[in-house]
């Protein structure tokens, strides 16, 4: 068996020990005689798997007691609608910070439910930076302020938490949750699609402050009403059981590794390897403002884009896969989530250096 280094943005590489354990437990989970996939979500076994996953996530992120943790379907993009449906609380406007592709998608959905005030935007520089807080103009009537704390395609990460005063702050943390410590108490709500740092695709995790629950618009589907799901431990309908189980294994792996503080140190070191190399070459270009560079998603391009296909082909031959940039921006992108081992990042930089030597 040969496993490649998978630099895909999501679904993305998972920790190998997690995959091995899932394989070991696939046919018979802990002597139950069945796979987790086959278990009733109401059964004792699955309820324990679910409760452990939630407890481990709470421990990893230090989630305060006055926040609920929900495991929902509909992925990250589902929350683009579900957040306004639940959080507008009778108000007519929400503020959004526009930092590129995923913010734009979130804004487009929100506009179906309310007026959207763009509090800040980095469009003036092709979405290559995170707008400083002193440039934000939040509408004081806004029900909440939404931002994309890591833009997966643009490779722009907020390395600071905005202060929106009394107005609840909402983060789409899909592509960097659990990559670093997070002060949850600064947020009204944090959501993340699972398929980057959590587990298989199709699930979203929502961490929401108690006082923001219970105000859903009447038209909200009950499976997407935070109050209904919080009251049912995310089991108002059949939850994505296998995804919850896999997420639980990833949380255990992360705890064993030393938690999110340790993970952050590793992620800083991994990202540094790539950025240090990009900073001293003219062969490749890195579009993002240095202080806002993502530790998770690193877009770059070859100065001579005629070499793109050759670069990708030779990379694949070396077992470095999914380096092609998002179709909307082209170029390359290396996603180096928690589960990407440092060896993978070293292999990438070595390959980039070799390619430059032979083609520069
Ligand atoms: N937000 C961000 C920041 C993302 O990167 C993605 C997916 N790449 C989404 C939302 C959408 O997630 P999903 O495809 O699970 O709906």
């Amino acid at each position: 068996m040969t496993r490649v280094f998978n630099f895909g943005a999501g679904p993305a590489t998972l920790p190998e020990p997690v995959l091995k354990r899932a394989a070991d437990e696939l046919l018979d989970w802990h002597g139950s005689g069945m796979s987790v996939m086959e278990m009733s979500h109401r059964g004792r076994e699955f309820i324990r798997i679910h409760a452990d996953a939630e407890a481990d996530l709470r421990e990893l992120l230090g989630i305060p007691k006055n926040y609920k943790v929900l495991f929902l379907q509909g992925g990250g993009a589902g929350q683009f609608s579900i957040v306004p449906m639940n959080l507008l609380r009778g108000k007519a406007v929400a503020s959004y910070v526009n930092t590129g592709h995923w913010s734009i998608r979130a804004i487009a959905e929100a506009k179906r439910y309310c007026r959207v005030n763009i509090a800040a935007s980095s469009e003036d520089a092709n979405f290559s930076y995170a707008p400083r807080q002193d440039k934000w103009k939040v509408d004081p009537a806004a029900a909440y302020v939404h931002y994309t704390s890591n833009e997966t395609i643009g490779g722009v990460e907020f390395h600071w938490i905005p202060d929106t005063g009394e107005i609840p702050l909402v983060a789409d943390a899909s592509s960097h949750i659990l990559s670093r410590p997070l002060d949850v108490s600064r947020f009204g709500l944090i959501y993340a699609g699972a398929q980057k740092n959590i587990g298989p695709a199709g699930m979203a995790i929502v961490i929401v402050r108690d006082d923001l629950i219970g105000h859903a618009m009447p038209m909200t589907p009950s499976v997407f009403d935070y109050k209904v799901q919080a009251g049912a431990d995310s089991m108002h309908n059949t939850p994505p059981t296998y995804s919850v189980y896999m997420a639980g294994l990833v949380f255990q792996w992360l705890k064993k590794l030393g938690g999110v503080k340790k993970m952050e140190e590793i992620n800083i070191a991994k990202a540094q390897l790539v950025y240090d190399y990009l900073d001293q070459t003219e062969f490749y270009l890195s579009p993002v403002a240095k202080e806002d560079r993502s530790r998770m998603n690193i877009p770059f391009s070859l100065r001579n884009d005629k070499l793109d296909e050759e670069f990708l082909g030779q990379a694949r031959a070396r077992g470095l896969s999914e380096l092609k940039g998002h179709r909307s921006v082209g170029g390359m992108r290396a996603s180096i989530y928690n589960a990407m081992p440092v060896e993978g990042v070293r292999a990438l930089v070595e390959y980039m250096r070799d390619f430059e030597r032979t083609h520069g």
Side-chain angles (χ1 to χ4, degrees), residues 9-10 74-78 80 102 105 148 150-153 172-175 191 193-196 201-203 337:
F80 295 165
W102 293 107
R105 291 272 306 266
T148 311
N150 185 68
E151 279 281 358
T152 321
I153 294 173
D172 174 359
S174 294
S175 48
Y191 65 90
Q195 66 273 29
K196 294 119 177 13
M203 182 173 76
Y337 296 118

Side-chain angles (χ1 to χ4, degrees), residues 314-328:
Q314 287 188 25
R316 275 192 297 271
R318 281 208 198 189
L320 308 173
S321 85
E322 305 291 334
L323 283 165
K324 197 177 168 77
H326 190 267
R327 59 188 186 281
S328 64

Side-chain angles (χ1 to χ4, degrees), residues 149-171:
S149 50
N150 185 68
E151 279 281 358
T152 321
I153 294 173
V156 171
E157 181 170 6
F158 282 80
H159 295 288
W160 46 280
I161 299 176
D163 181 356
T164 50
E166 292 299 301
I167 305 180
L169 179 63
V170 174

Side-chain angles (χ1 to χ4, degrees), residues 182-196:
L182 186 65
D183 182 355
V184 174
S185 71
R186 304 268 305 271
F187 295 85
L189 186 149
I190 299 162
Y191 65 90
Q195 66 273 29
K196 294 119 177 13

Side-chain angles (χ1 to χ4, degrees), residues 266-320:
I266 296 170
N267 285 330
I268 289 172
K270 286 191 296 183
Q272 196 78 43
L273 285 171
V274 184
Y275 287 123
D276 279 354
Y277 176 65
L278 286 173
D279 280 343
Q280 54 77 57
T281 171
E282 307 229 308
F283 187 78
Y284 303 97
L285 304 167
S286 158
V288 180
K290 275 191 186 170
E291 62 277 18
D292 303 321
R293 285 167 160 178
S294 170
R295 295 173 185 158
M296 297 284 102
N297 311 98
I298 307 185
F300 63 92
S301 57
L302 279 69
R303 194 176 283 277
N304 175 3
D305 64 9
K306 292 198 181 63
L307 294 172
D308 281 4
E309 284 313 312
E310 193 180 342
F311 178 87
L312 289 165
Q314 287 188 25
R316 275 192 297 271
R318 281 208 198 189
L320 308 173

